[in-house]
Amino acid sequence: MAPLKRILLAEDNERDVELTLAALDEHNLANEVTVARDGAEALDYLYARGKFTGHANGLPVVVLLDLKMPKVDGLEVLRQMRSDDTLRHVPVVMVTSSREEQDLVRSYQLGVNAYVVKPVDFQKFVDSVKQLGVFWAVINEPPPGAVKRA
Amino acid sequence: MKASVEKKIIFGFLASVATLLGISLLSYKTIESSITAQSWVIHTHEVIAALEQGRANLTDAETAQRAFLLTGDERFFLDSSNAQSNVNGWLATLHQLTSDNPDQQKQLEELQPLVAQRLAYLDDRMELRRQKGLQAAADAVATREGSDLSSQIRQRLDEMRVTENQLLQTRRETQRADATIAEAWVGCGAVAACVLGLIAFLTARRDLKLRARAELDLQENRARLQSILDNMPAVIYLKDLEGRYLFVNRQFLKIDGLSNEQVIGKTIFDLTSREHAEKAQAQHQKVLTTKSIVEVEETTVCPDGPHAYLAVKFPICDAMGKLIGTGGISSDITERKANEEERKRLTDELQRHAAQLELSNKELEAFSYSVSHDLRAPLRHIDGFVQLLDKNASSSLDERSRRFLDIIADSSHRMGALIDDLLVFSRMGRSEMRRARVESDALIHEVVDSLHSDLEGRNIEWKIAKLPQVQADASMLRQVWANLIGNAVKYSRPRDPARIEIGCNENGEEFVFFVRDNGVGFDMQYVHKLFGVFQRLHRTEEFEGTGIGLANVQRIVLRHHGRVWAEGALNEGSAFFFAIPKQTIETKN
């Protein structure tokens, strides 16, 4: 049986994916991550459709969303999640390079739970991702329907 | 006002007429009564004369009788008879004359039998003479019966005479009194006439003076108005209902080089082309039919080229509100129109520039966004994979290779810092200002607290004055203080102790804040470079930094309508000042 994937990482840049996974790995959280390479894939996973049809992982405890992605961008994914009854309460963290005020404002208007700017410094980046992973996947009590670590 | 004047005149006239009529009536009445009194006086004289006449008649009869008695001559008898009939006539006359006076009538009635008896005696004696001769008559006379009667009659007549004399006295006095009153009334009439005449004269004279004055005023006003109208830059005219010019000002005449005589009484058809005249006449008619103002823009060809006029044409009414013509005021708006066109051109140009500016601003925004997002990603990757490489392969790398990895990591950090600062700088120029009351004291303590990592191991003597509140964008102002205080801390690093002073001076309409340190300072010949983007006066190895901080400070202070400047000397420290207006200048940005 495939291990439960409880974190959804939506990130188009494969190097960022690799660095993020490396960071999470430092806290043994890498195995709990499902990677979507754009917004459309992220939605497919959340609705268990397309290439994720029939996955049995349930809802993730947190979605880490990149802002700028091909096809469907992070803000659009967030908007669709917040207008869907089942996905409304799933925590979403924007993890992005942008510190632009407009992005911040838009994200919070749409109901993001946290907004993290990826630091250029790798060590800081590792720290940030680690803290995120630990907080959302371990410390935070997810809404009903998400799979809690045993 | 006018009505009351008219009323006054009518009232004055009626009062004068009434006064004079009254006085005339009274004069007439008193004169009439005086005349009546006079006639009574005359009447009394007549009565007196009649009384005398009676006495004389009686004497005549007696004298003639005596003569007959003496002579027996029949002629004397006849004389006596005549005299007797005169006496009887006289009695009738006297009776008639005294018919107004009962007292005298009574006297007369007593007198009449006496007279009759006397006359009877006369006749009796004469008959005796004729019948029996002189002696018999003389004997009869000697009885003195006749002469007694005669005495009685004369006595009565005297009494009547006395009565009449008294009456005469009374009536004369009455007549005199009436005459005096009549004189007085006539005198009054004369005086009243004089007074009224004087009043009329004075009033008329005053009116004439006022009228003369009013006429003078009118002329003066007219002259004033004329000079105002003549000296106005506008073309002004008045026309009657048929469109004949009643008045034109100098400017009107100047345009066509005409004289007043050539224009007054003429119509526009006499002065200009048929086409233009018909247009003007149509407007004249429109003003008359609508009784309202008509505004038109006209172009007139003048010697110096075409001129644009804004003409206001309006109806003119007389004092009773009856339409009597039209007037027009045309202002030369050639220059205004030219200015308007110029302004429109400039506005268009400005709008074009603004649009271009907005476009380039948008491009810049897109660029910043792209820098923010896309440029940082590869940097992060460089740093990330260098770190991973270092972790995985550091044991198999020599010292030199490890140093290369350090340099790669350091460079990527520096570039990251540069990009971040540049983004902040760009954001400070674009983001919206949120002005509010800012406690400078609190802000500074916040900033100093945030510098704690830089303050470790440092010996700094802070001297922070009490600072005023200002109207500003709090987060922007924090950026200013963070940069200035951060610089002071950074550039005073070689000093022990370092001294940093923060304060504020009031300078008229602005607060002048400053941060002074005893750090490495700078050469004043490079002061102009301090606030430029990427301009640095120190090498990075000496003092880290991107060269954006002070540029940011300047940008923020300028957006607050303030000023920044610096003073310093190499190795002696520096002071940075920024001034912010006390009153907020309300602008969009």
Side-chain angles (χ1 to χ4, degrees):
Chain A
M1 189 184 141
L4 291 181
K5 305 289 191 186
R6 301 179 308 111
I7 296 175
L8 174 62
L9 172 65
E11 171 64 70
D12 62 317
N13 189 309
E14 81 183 291
R15 285 170 192 165
D16 271 325
V17 173
E18 196 176 339
L19 287 174
T20 307
L21 290 177
L24 288 171
D25 193 39
E26 294 209 346
H27 216 82
N28 301 322
L29 286 167
N31 284 337
E32 305 191 13
V33 177
T34 301
V35 177
R37 297 302 304 278
D38 58 45
E41 271 191 17
L43 288 170
D44 283 350
Y45 180 80
L46 290 169
Y47 286 109
R49 65 191 184 197
K51 74 183 221 191
F52 296 108
T53 307
H55 80 80
N57 293 330
L59 291 176
V61 290
V62 66
V63 178
L64 304 180
L65 264 183
D66 186 19
L67 204 64
K68 233 174 99 184
M69 288 184 291
K71 295 187 197 169
V72 181
D73 70 12
L75 288 172
E76 177 58 22
V77 173
L78 177 61
R79 195 190 63 73
Q80 289 200 24
M81 285 178 70
R82 289 303 179 238
S83 54
D84 184 295
D85 283 341
T86 49
L87 301 178
R88 177 169 296 158
H89 302 295
V90 175
V92 175
V93 178
M94 284 290 176
V95 183
T96 172
S97 313
S98 168
R99 194 179 279 149
E100 284 295 294
E101 192 171 293
Q102 53 190 6
D103 289 334
L104 261 167
V105 171
R106 279 293 291 147
S107 300
Y108 278 108
Q109 274 174 349
L110 288 171
V112 83
N113 298 83
Y115 191 102
V116 175
V117 178
K118 296 174 194 168
V120 170
D121 186 313
F122 181 67
Q123 203 46 56
K124 287 181 187 161
F125 178 74
V126 168
D127 289 345
S128 303
V129 173
K130 235 164 66 181
Q131 280 171 28
L132 267 180
V134 170
F135 177 80
W136 289 105
V138 182
I139 300 171
N140 187 49
E141 201 64 42
V147 182
K148 179 122 173 72
R149 176 133 75 171
Chain B
M1 185 73 192
K2 205 176 150 197
S4 87
V5 168
E6 242 166 54
K7 262 187 199 165
K8 265 189 199 165
I9 291 172
I10 291 172
F11 179 78
F13 175 72
L14 288 179
S16 311
V17 167
T19 310
L20 289 177
L21 262 183
I23 290 170
S24 303
L25 204 64
L26 286 167
S27 305
Y28 173 75
K29 281 279 178 201
T30 49
I31 287 169
E32 199 183 35
S33 90
S34 164
I35 287 169
T36 310
Q38 178 75 35
S39 70
W40 279 113
V41 170
I42 291 166
H43 174 74
T44 314
H45 276 296
E46 276 173 5
V47 173
I48 290 168
L51 287 173
E52 290 306 311
Q53 183 68 41
R55 190 190 292 264
N57 285 345
L58 200 60
T59 309
D60 282 353
E62 284 169 349
T63 310
Q65 184 238 15
R66 252 175 241 131
F68 179 72
L69 290 182
L70 283 175
T71 64
D73 190 339
E74 282 297 325
R75 277 181 303 173
F76 291 114
F77 179 78
L78 264 178
D79 283 348
S80 178
S81 296
N82 281 340
Q84 280 186 41
S85 70
N86 277 348
V87 168
N88 284 324
W90 159 75
L91 273 175
T93 306
L94 193 61
H95 190 266
Q96 203 187 340
L97 278 173
T98 57
S99 60
D100 61 302
N101 192 331
D103 288 346
Q104 295 289 67
Q105 289 258 307
K106 202 176 150 204
Q107 288 268 26
L108 197 58
E109 270 162 28
E110 285 168 15
L111 182 66
Q112 262 173 339
L114 293 175
V115 170
Q117 204 178 348
R118 173 68 180 141
L119 291 181
Y121 274 120
L122 287 183
D123 279 346
D124 182 55
R125 301 303 180 260
M126 281 196 292
E127 198 58 42
L128 269 177
R129 169 72 173 89
R130 195 180 285 143
Q131 301 287 330
K132 298 179 178 167
L134 179 62
Q135 192 54 50
D139 290 343
V141 171
T143 60
R144 296 199 64 91
E145 283 171 325
S147 57
D148 287 348
L149 264 176
S150 203
S151 299
Q152 275 182 39
I153 290 169
R154 284 197 167 75
Q155 198 184 333
R156 298 257 172 195
L157 282 176
D158 285 343
E159 281 168 13
M160 283 182 77
R161 170 73 188 267
V162 167
T163 309
E164 281 302 316
N165 274 343
Q166 280 169 351
L167 265 177
L168 182 63
Q169 186 68 29
T170 319
R171 282 176 178 163
R172 267 196 186 139
E173 277 167 10
T174 308
Q175 187 262 330
R176 252 182 232 130
D178 282 355
T180 309
I181 292 171
E183 274 166 17
W185 277 120
V186 169
C188 273
V191 169
C194 281
V195 168
L196 288 172
L198 191 66
I199 291 172
F201 169 72
L202 289 175
T203 312
R205 200 172 67 153
R206 199 191 60 184
D207 279 2
L208 279 176
K209 266 189 186 167
L210 284 176
R211 178 175 292 192
R213 176 78 177 279
E215 218 150 89
L216 215 63
D217 282 354
L218 198 68
Q219 274 176 9
E220 212 176 288
N221 276 341
R222 192 172 292 167
R224 234 180 263 165
L225 199 64
Q226 179 82 39
S227 68
I228 289 171
L229 293 176
D230 273 346
N231 289 298
M232 268 176 59
V235 172
I236 301 170
Y237 67 80
L238 301 178
K239 286 174 179 176
D240 65 9
L241 290 172
E242 281 72 41
R244 289 185 293 259
Y245 287 104
L246 297 170
F247 168 87
V248 295
N249 74 340
R250 198 185 294 154
Q251 196 65 25
F252 183 104
L253 299 171
K254 214 169 109 185
I255 286 183
D256 293 323
L258 295 167
S259 71
N260 215 34
E261 291 70 31
Q262 287 173 296
V263 176
I264 300 301
K266 304 278 173 50
T267 69
I268 182 119
F269 289 94
D270 303 319
L271 303 180
T272 183
S273 70
R274 183 151 196 93
E275 187 195 0
H276 184 213
E278 270 169 2
K279 236 188 258 175
Q281 187 64 17
Q283 286 154 8
H284 172 73
Q285 285 303 335
K286 191 178 169 192
V287 171
L288 289 177
T289 47
T290 60
K291 287 188 185 173
S292 56
I293 294 170
V294 171
E295 267 185 44
V296 278
E297 266 190 36
E298 302 170 327
T299 307
T300 305
V301 181
C302 297
D304 60 339
H307 276 235
Y309 283 91
L310 177 66
V312 178
K313 306 192 174 186
F314 49 88
I316 305 171
C317 297
D318 65 10
M320 310 301 289
K322 190 170 154 265
L323 204 58
I324 54 169
T326 67
I329 301 176
S330 303
S331 311
D332 192 335
I333 53 166
T334 315
E335 207 170 310
R336 199 203 302 171
K337 274 195 90 100
N339 284 344
E340 257 169 40
E341 271 161 31
E342 177 66 9
R343 196 165 60 217
K344 193 172 172 324
R345 198 183 61 75
L346 288 175
T347 310
D348 287 351
E349 203 169 305
L350 212 62
Q351 273 170 351
R352 234 181 5 259
H353 279 273
Q356 277 173 4
L357 208 63
E358 201 176 332
L359 198 70
S360 48
N361 234 355
K362 282 228 170 81
E363 279 169 6
L364 197 68
E365 233 166 275
F367 172 74
S368 309
Y369 191 85
S370 147
V371 166
S372 154
H373 194 271
D374 298 346
L375 237 56
R376 281 154 56 98
L379 271 180
R380 203 169 51 245
H381 300 156
I382 293 169
D383 192 55
F385 288 103
V386 164
Q387 299 277 335
L388 289 178
L389 180 63
D390 188 40
K391 197 169 141 195
N392 291 350
S394 65
S395 54
S396 57
L397 289 177
D398 61 10
E399 188 63 25
R400 202 157 168 247
S401 303
R402 276 204 294 276
R403 197 170 74 79
F404 291 163
L405 283 181
D406 283 348
I407 290 170
I408 293 171
D410 186 53
S411 296
S412 65
H413 288 165
R414 272 188 48 69
M415 189 161 173
L418 271 172
I419 289 172
D420 282 348
D421 283 359
L422 204 55
L423 281 174
V424 169
F425 180 67
S426 143
R427 228 184 350 258
M428 283 303 161
R430 290 178 291 124
S431 67
E432 214 174 302
M433 295 251 293
R434 295 187 199 87
R435 281 181 187 273
R437 198 142 268 291
V438 179
E439 298 279 355
S440 305
D441 286 330
L443 209 56
I444 282 167
H445 288 120
E446 232 176 85
V447 169
V448 172
D449 285 349
S450 73
L451 290 170
H452 61 88
S453 61
D454 297 312
L455 300 178
E456 265 170 44
R458 293 286 305 277
N459 177 15
I460 299 177
E461 288 175 7
W462 293 94
K463 186 179 170 193
I464 303 177
K466 175 103 184 94
L467 299 176
Q469 288 185 337
V470 287
Q471 283 285 331
D473 182 308
S475 69
M476 288 190 181
L477 202 61
R478 180 183 295 113
Q479 190 83 31
V480 170
W481 283 116
N483 271 304
L484 294 182
I485 298 173
N487 278 352
V489 170
K490 179 162 61 179
Y491 292 104
S492 65
R493 203 183 291 148
R495 300 286 183 263
D496 187 13
R499 273 189 293 275
I500 297 176
E501 185 188 353
I502 298 170
C504 173
N505 298 316
E506 281 190 42
N507 172 23
E509 294 302 302
E510 53 186 19
F511 290 120
V512 180
F513 296 96
F514 64 87
V515 178
R516 183 176 284 126
D517 64 65
N518 63 341
V520 297
F522 60 88
D523 190 334
M524 277 300 271
Q525 66 169 309
Y526 301 119
V527 72
H528 60 281
K529 288 192 162 185
L530 280 175
F531 296 99
V533 182
F534 293 137
Q535 297 283 354
R536 300 211 63 209
L537 298 184
H538 302 276
R539 287 192 306 278
T540 313
E541 297 94 280
E542 295 176 310
F543 294 104
E544 71 287 356
T546 54
I548 289 191
L550 286 177
N552 229 348
V553 166
Q554 185 178 45
R555 185 169 246 195
I556 290 168
V557 172
L558 287 182
R559 286 196 67 184
H560 283 81
H561 305 285
R563 310 174 285 132
V564 289
W565 67 98
E567 289 167 5
L570 207 53
N571 292 323
E572 284 176 22
S574 56
F576 285 82
F577 301 85
F578 69 97
I580 287 185
K582 287 177 186 174
Q583 297 290 324
T584 316
I585 300 166
E586 287 302 337
T587 50
K588 276 277 174 195
N589 54 345

